[in-house]
Amino acid sequence: MSSSNRKPVHLAVYDTLADWETGHTTAYLARGGYEIRTVGASLAPVRSVGGLRIQPDVTLDDLRPEDSSLLILPGADLWDTSDDLAPFARKAREFLDADVPVAAICGGTAGLAREGLLDDRAHTSAVSFYLAATGYKGGERYVDTDAVTDGRLVTAGPTEPVAFAREVFGLLGVYEGEVLDAWYRLFHDSDTEAYAVLEAAGQ
């Protein structure tokens, strides 16, 4: 699919957003031809945990799965301190029900757990007991690894932004095979030999 025909990727943004968790993902999706659009509860600006001011492009109520390639749910303190972000998890349900991918990292996984979206899907997060504290029913599907893809859903913990990006790229077909492996080795392991593979592929 040419980049001109690709639907945008939507990045959920909210106060206390963990701004380090999705940078690799959004940067290289953009380089791969995807428009990145931010989606907020309203159009009011939000501030990340690092103090970055982010202006949402679209409201959650106006976001339709059929207009998107992917919904990304970053972590945020608010996932664990209030119910303010629950509507974002409900929107994730809409996406998955419509067979449109969702990718959640850190606190975003807890939001999905509370919404019941991890009960029947393989998944991961920071640690198993973090999700267990939500009272969800998917503990037997927890996988102790860096990142997991199950169908149209990607999950990862807060220390694995590069693995999170790897899974998203693989799911959307941005990078595949040897190139995807080289990208991961370069950014996760600082493997300089991976440069040659990426350069040969024109990346």
Side-chain angles (χ1 to χ4, degrees):
M1 182 183 294
S2 70
S3 60
S4 62
N5 293 328
R6 287 177 175 157
K7 297 175 183 178
V9 166
H10 288 89
L11 173 68
V13 296
Y14 20 71
D15 285 330
T16 72
L17 170 119
D19 36 25
W20 71 90
E21 292 177 345
T22 59
H24 291 86
T25 303
T26 54
Y28 282 86
L29 285 176
R31 286 188 171 188
Y34 285 91
E35 177 189 5
I36 309 298
R37 304 203 75 206
T38 52
V39 54
S42 72
L43 293 180
V46 300
R47 284 204 179 272
S48 74
V49 72
L52 300 180
R53 183 180 183 274
I54 304 169
Q55 177 72 55
D57 295 313
V58 63
T59 66
L60 194 62
D61 286 345
D62 288 339
L63 175 61
R64 303 186 308 165
E66 57 265 37
D67 297 330
S68 184
S69 291
L70 169 73
L71 174 63
I72 303 174
L73 298 181
D77 294 344
L78 286 178
W79 281 115
D80 300 316
T81 59
S82 76
D83 294 327
D84 291 356
L85 302 188
F88 288 90
R90 290 195 290 272
K91 184 64 68 172
R93 178 180 291 282
E94 289 181 33
F95 268 62
L96 293 171
D97 285 349
D99 200 34
V100 180
V102 171
I105 185 169
C106 189
T109 65
L112 297 187
R114 293 185 187 98
E115 183 62 21
L117 295 172
L118 303 185
D119 289 352
D120 301 311
R121 294 177 172 91
H123 59 276
T124 194
S125 185
V127 289
S128 60
F129 57 79
Y130 170 64
L131 290 187
T134 68
Y136 85 133
K137 300 175 182 177
E140 293 184 354
R141 305 301 304 276
Y142 187 89
V143 183
D144 189 11
T145 191
D146 56 6
V148 171
T149 299
D150 186 334
R152 309 298 277 170
L153 177 66
V154 172
T155 51
T159 61
E160 299 293 347
V162 179
F164 181 68
R166 178 197 67 208
E167 296 299 304
V168 169
F169 301 157
L171 183 59
L172 295 184
V174 176
Y175 302 133
E176 297 175 307
E178 184 182 45
V179 174
L180 180 60
D181 178 65
W183 184 91
Y184 178 75
R185 287 188 288 112
L186 177 61
F187 286 96
H188 188 266
D189 303 325
S190 300
D191 183 352
T192 55
E193 293 182 2
Y195 273 119
V197 178
L198 294 173
E199 287 182 353
Q203 301 300 324

